[in-house]
């Protein structure tokens, strides 16, 4: 009974984690080569800064072998007072919604330049108050981002 309880506990934790991961507050921050969304729901304090996830959407599907990709997720760390950004990783996003693998960027924090992707993301991560989400799911963000890239 103890082993069965442990298995059920692990399964419940995985389901809860998966469900929580789907609760996004995706704010469209920029449209250029990619449509970039800040996930306001992922903003968390991190020492003297904040961490936030972003979604990068490509203008069309990218097919590699038999896998179709629509973009990717990245975790960022912002030092709001020091005005620096650090893109921590990248995880591809498949058309079916699965993520990965995660690849570390191994970069150093850099100064946020006005008008760049980091500045637009930092405005959400470091900005006061709540931000109106443009999408609640990655699938909606892909649809919205691609429509905006065609404008």
């Amino acid at each position: 009974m103890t082993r069965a309880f442990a298995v059920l506990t692990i399964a419940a934790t995985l389901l809860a984690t998966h469900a929580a991961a789907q609760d996004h507050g995706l704010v469209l921050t920029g449209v250029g080569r990619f449509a970039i969304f800040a996930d306001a729901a992922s903003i968390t304090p991190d020492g003297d800064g904040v961490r936030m996830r972003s979604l990068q959407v490509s203008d069309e599907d990218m097919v590699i072998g038999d896998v179709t990709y629509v973009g990717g997720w990245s975790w960022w760390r912002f030092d709001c007072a020091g005005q620096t950004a650090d893109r921590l990783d990248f995880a591809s996003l498949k058309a079916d919604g699965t993520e990965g693998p995660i690849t570390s960027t191994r970069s150093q924090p850099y100064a946020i330049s006005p008008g760049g992707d980091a500045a637009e993301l930092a405005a959400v991560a470091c900005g006061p108050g709540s931000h109106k989400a443009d999408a609640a799911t990655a699938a909606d963000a892909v649809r919205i981002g691609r429509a905006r890239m065609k404008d």
Side-chain angles (χ1 to χ4, degrees):
M1 189 71 154
T2 303
R3 184 174 184 178
F5 180 73
V7 169
L8 288 175
T9 301
I10 291 169
T13 301
L14 290 173
L15 286 173
T17 301
H18 178 72
Q22 301 304 310
D23 295 332
H24 302 294
L26 297 165
V27 178
L28 181 63
T29 60
V31 177
R33 180 174 171 212
F34 299 100
I36 307 293
F37 291 83
D39 187 0
S42 71
I43 298 170
T44 54
D46 184 32
D48 59 350
V50 295
R51 286 174 44 104
M52 182 183 72
R53 206 166 185 216
S54 71
L55 176 62
Q56 168 182 307
V57 175
S58 59
D59 62 344
E60 58 186 41
D61 289 351
M62 189 164 57
V63 180
I64 301 172
D66 61 348
V67 180
T68 303
Y69 298 92
V70 295
W73 289 98
S74 290
W75 276 103
W76 290 76
R77 185 182 185 287
F78 299 98
D79 177 339
C80 300
Q83 286 295 287
T84 62
D86 187 5
R87 185 176 186 177
L88 304 172
D89 63 16
F90 180 82
S92 59
L93 177 62
K94 296 176 186 170
D96 68 3
T98 58
E99 299 175 31
I102 298 171
T103 304
S104 173
T105 60
R106 299 184 186 162
S107 61
Q108 295 296 315
Y110 59 92
I112 297 172
S113 299
D117 290 341
E120 293 169 340
L121 291 168
V124 174
C126 299
S130 63
H131 300 275
K132 182 182 177 300
D134 296 294
T137 67
D140 286 342
V142 169
R143 181 182 49 75
I144 291 165
R146 289 181 172 176
R148 290 289 305 274
M149 283 187 275
K150 288 182 176 154
D151 288 344

